[in-house]
Amino acid sequence: MPPSRRRDSPQRRWRPLTPLERRRLPSGLRPWLVDGGSLTRHLRNACGDGFAVHLLAQRWRAADDSEARWLGIAARSRLIEREVQLCCHGRPLVYARSLIPLAALYGGHRELGAMGERPLGEKLFADPQMRRGAVHWHWLARGEMRYRIALQGLAARPPRLYGRCSLFYGAPAPVLVSEYFLPGLPRFPVVSP
């Protein structure tokens, strides 16, 4: 595949969010990227009743080698790839992509595969069994497939989209959540309108 069509391979590009790496982040986005709390909760505070999840795609597919290593599952294992935009009064502020292995969907975690236009992050943070792993970061450049998907519905085309990802543990298999911050994101911390 040409570089612009490759999947967002976590092993290939994500970097641990060390103190040194934090200094490399844009100052306006740094608080969003390093915060370990619920992004959904922060956006609900900013948007009130205007918060919504717009489901872009959800599909079953086989994990590629890099994703399988990242998730600690067998190569070619089945997983759900979920792509959404988190919106405030109809304006996309965050593009989120999650990988949910079939092995994670047992017991009380079946609902993770059927969130529809409900926020996955809200479910993960509300579940006392789930805990967030280390945060990693990277950026997408113009011309990359994921960059174009993230900016659907927006005219702005910044040079880079910064994002973070982490594994959530507590289900029978970990869940990978990545979030990219789009133009127009409010200052952090956000307060209720």
Side-chain angles (χ1 to χ4, degrees), residues 15-29:
R15 299 152 82 147
L17 196 52
T18 63
L20 178 63
E21 291 290 331
R22 288 176 190 219
R23 288 196 295 265
R24 298 179 66 193
L25 303 173
S27 60
L29 286 177

Side-chain angles (χ1 to χ4, degrees), residues 29 60-61 90:
L29 286 177
W60 282 98
R61 65 172 179 80

Side-chain angles (χ1 to χ4, degrees), residues 166-189:
S166 50
L167 289 168
F168 284 81
Y169 300 93
V175 173
L176 179 66
V177 177
S178 56
E179 300 152 329
Y180 294 90
F181 299 98
L182 306 178
L185 191 69
R187 285 180 49 99
F188 186 93

Side-chain angles (χ1 to χ4, degrees), residues 34-97:
V34 303
D35 181 67
S38 169
L39 178 61
T40 301
R41 181 176 49 81
H42 292 309
L43 292 176
R44 280 194 190 279
N45 285 343
C47 305
D49 291 340
F51 174 79
V53 175
H54 175 62
L55 181 64
L56 299 173
Q58 182 166 313
R59 65 190 73 78
W60 282 98
R61 65 172 179 80
D64 68 27
D65 291 343
S66 177
E67 293 164 342
R69 281 190 302 273
W70 189 263
L71 289 161
I73 59 177
R76 309 298 302 157
S77 293
R78 304 271 298 151
L79 57 74
I80 294 172
E81 180 181 33
R82 171 183 160 90
E83 296 175 281
V84 301
Q85 287 175 327
L86 305 180
C87 303
C88 186
H89 301 285
R91 179 181 175 80
L93 296 179
V94 174
Y95 163 73
R97 177 176 174 260

